[in-house]
């Protein structure tokens, strides 16, 4: 299975997750996975829902891993009718106003966290993409930031804000020991030769939100949503935002139409045009 995932250029994170899910499936029945069939998969799917109380999205991820294993590794048929994917609940993501984003960044407990938050918001990169940014990815001549090996192993360029460029330069001067490769080095003093892990941006968001008194749940992907929504409100078109985010389908980007105040307020409610008797008068 590992060789097949690597041959098809699945990311390391997805590869490890798929292997882990298949291992859990086998452990549940105390049997090798190639000896288990459709009835076992249906029983396991029900157990994920009723016993483990997993969300529809997480159950779907387990089924995707098993489907890959049975079709690509064992070369066995797989019927969606036998093991239908659960329907996902479509929830609108949390969005911070521009004022709240400013409060979040200003409340960062350390200069390193402040730079991390500014980079997330200024570029819209994913958490994992942020941790893998290299020094060579900062192109101050063209004022772009190169995002290499993003979701789906796709490369893309995003804008490099002059404000962010100055912040990154200040960040680089502050480092005790500068990495030869990574823009955001790991370890406690940010001086390692490995990149920081994905927990660091999450901690930056949590600590800053708590200090800023923001009650909304803030994590790195929220700043990605804010990046897209605020761009849309400023007049950027959906296709441009799609390219900047690295979305394959415009439908993924269209969700921000539901979040943009400019688009929500552009259409009046039909209630506003009704002529009502005894309409309440505004208070003086």
């Amino acid at each position: 299975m590992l060789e097949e995932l690597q041959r098809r250029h699945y990311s390391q994170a997805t590869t490890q997750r798929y292997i882990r899910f298949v291992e859990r499936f086998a452990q549940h029945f105390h049997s090798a996975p190639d000896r288990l069939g459709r009835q076992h998969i249906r029983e396991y799917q029900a157990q994920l829902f009723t016993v483990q109380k997993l969300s529809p999205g997480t159950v779907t991820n387990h089924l995707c891993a098993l489907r890959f294993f049975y079709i690509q590794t064992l070369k066995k048929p797989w019927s969606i009718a036998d093991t239908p994917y659960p329907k996902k609940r479509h929830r609108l993501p949390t969005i911070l106003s521009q004022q709240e984003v400013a409060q979040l960044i200003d409340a960062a407990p350390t200069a390193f966290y402040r730079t991390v938050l500014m980079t997330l918001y200024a570029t819209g990169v994913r958490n994992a993409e942020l941790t893998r940014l290299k020094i060579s990815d900062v192109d101050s001549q063209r004022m772009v930031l190169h995002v290499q090996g993003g979701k789906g192993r796709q490369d893309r360029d995003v804008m490099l804000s002059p404000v962010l460029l100055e912040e990154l330069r200040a960040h680089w001067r502050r480092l005790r020991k500068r990495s030869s490769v990574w823009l955001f080095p790991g370890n406690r003093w940010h001086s390692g030769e490995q990149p920081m892990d994905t927990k660091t941006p999450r901690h930056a968001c949590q600590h800053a939100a708590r200090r800023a008194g923001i009650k909304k749940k803030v994590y790195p992907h929220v700043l990605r949503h804010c990046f897209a929504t605020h761009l849309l409100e400023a007049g950027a078109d959906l296709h441009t935002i799609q390219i900047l985010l690295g979305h394959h389908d415009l439908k993924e980007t269209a969700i921000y139409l539901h979040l943009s105040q400019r688009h929500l307020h552009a259409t009046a409610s039909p209630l506003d045009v009704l002529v009502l008797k005894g309409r309440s008068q505004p208070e003086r």
Side-chain angles (χ1 to χ4, degrees):
M1 182 176 179
L2 174 62
E3 292 77 8
E4 188 65 28
L5 285 163
Q6 291 174 337
R7 188 176 69 82
R8 293 174 177 271
H9 304 293
Y10 278 69
S11 69
Q12 184 177 0
T14 301
T15 298
Q16 292 175 347
R17 185 168 65 248
Y18 274 27
I19 291 174
R20 186 169 66 251
F21 287 167
V22 173
E23 287 175 345
R24 289 178 184 174
F25 172 64
Q27 290 167 1
H28 177 76
F29 292 103
H30 305 288
S31 175
D34 57 350
R35 296 183 178 180
L36 303 172
R38 284 175 292 184
Q39 183 59 40
H40 296 97
I41 296 171
R42 287 196 294 270
E43 181 181 333
Y44 186 62
Q45 182 181 7
Q47 191 265 350
L48 294 176
F49 270 120
T50 59
V51 179
Q52 298 190 34
K53 308 293 185 182
L54 298 183
S55 67
T58 305
V59 173
T60 296
N61 288 336
H62 278 77
L63 290 177
C64 286
L66 295 176
R67 183 174 184 269
F68 182 93
F69 176 72
Y70 275 84
I71 293 177
Q72 304 298 338
T73 305
L74 300 182
K75 308 302 180 184
K76 291 184 177 180
W78 176 285
S79 173
I80 297 295
D82 290 334
T83 52
Y85 289 165
K87 291 184 178 180
K88 292 184 180 180
R89 291 183 62 185
H90 293 284
R91 295 179 178 177
L92 293 178
T94 300
I95 295 294
L96 304 179
S97 67
Q98 289 182 307
Q99 181 181 1
E100 287 175 318
V101 173
Q103 292 171 348
L104 183 78
I105 293 172
D106 286 338
T110 68
F112 186 87
Y113 278 1
R114 178 184 174 88
T115 306
V116 164
L117 295 175
M118 290 179 69
T119 307
L120 285 168
Y121 178 65
T123 62
V125 293
R126 300 176 178 90
N127 191 5
E129 294 169 344
L130 175 78
T131 63
R132 295 195 300 268
L133 285 176
K134 298 178 181 179
I135 304 162
S136 57
D137 292 332
V138 181
D139 189 343
S140 59
Q141 295 297 315
R142 296 180 55 230
M143 291 303 289
V144 297
L145 192 70
H146 304 298
V147 181
Q148 301 185 51
K151 191 173 182 180
R153 300 215 171 200
Q154 297 294 315
D155 296 348
R156 70 183 188 280
D157 286 346
V158 297
M159 75 281 272
L160 176 60
S161 155
V163 174
L164 178 61
L165 178 60
E166 288 306 311
E167 177 65 25
L168 290 175
R169 285 171 172 167
H171 152 73
W172 194 244
R173 291 191 295 267
R174 286 192 299 263
L175 291 177
R176 295 186 180 187
K177 180 184 177 184
R178 294 163 188 170
S179 169
S180 59
V181 178
W182 305 107
L183 185 59
F184 295 107
N187 85 19
R188 182 179 179 184
W189 306 110
H190 313 298
S191 57
E193 283 303 321
Q194 296 296 320
M196 67 175 175
D197 60 29
T198 54
K199 293 181 181 178
T200 302
R202 289 201 295 271
H203 291 160
C205 290
Q206 292 166 1
H207 290 312
R210 188 160 53 246
R211 295 184 74 199
I214 297 173
K215 302 303 181 183
K216 299 173 183 176
K217 187 176 180 181
V218 182
Y219 45 92
H221 218 76
V222 167
L223 291 178
R224 176 173 163 88
H225 293 317
C226 293
F227 165 83
T229 304
H230 295 167
L231 277 180
L232 192 61
E233 291 175 345
D237 63 273
L238 270 182
H239 183 62
T240 298
I241 297 173
Q242 176 192 5
I243 294 171
L244 292 172
L245 293 176
H247 285 166
H248 294 288
D249 194 329
L250 192 60
K251 290 180 181 178
E252 296 178 76
T253 318
I255 188 175
Y256 297 109
L257 288 171
H258 298 280
L259 303 169
S260 165
Q261 292 187 49
R262 180 170 69 89
H263 291 80
L264 289 174
H265 297 166
T267 305
S269 168
L271 177 65
D272 296 340
V273 299
L274 295 183
V275 180
L276 300 175
K277 293 182 180 180
R279 185 170 179 178
S280 301
Q281 297 298 317
E283 295 183 3
R284 296 182 179 178

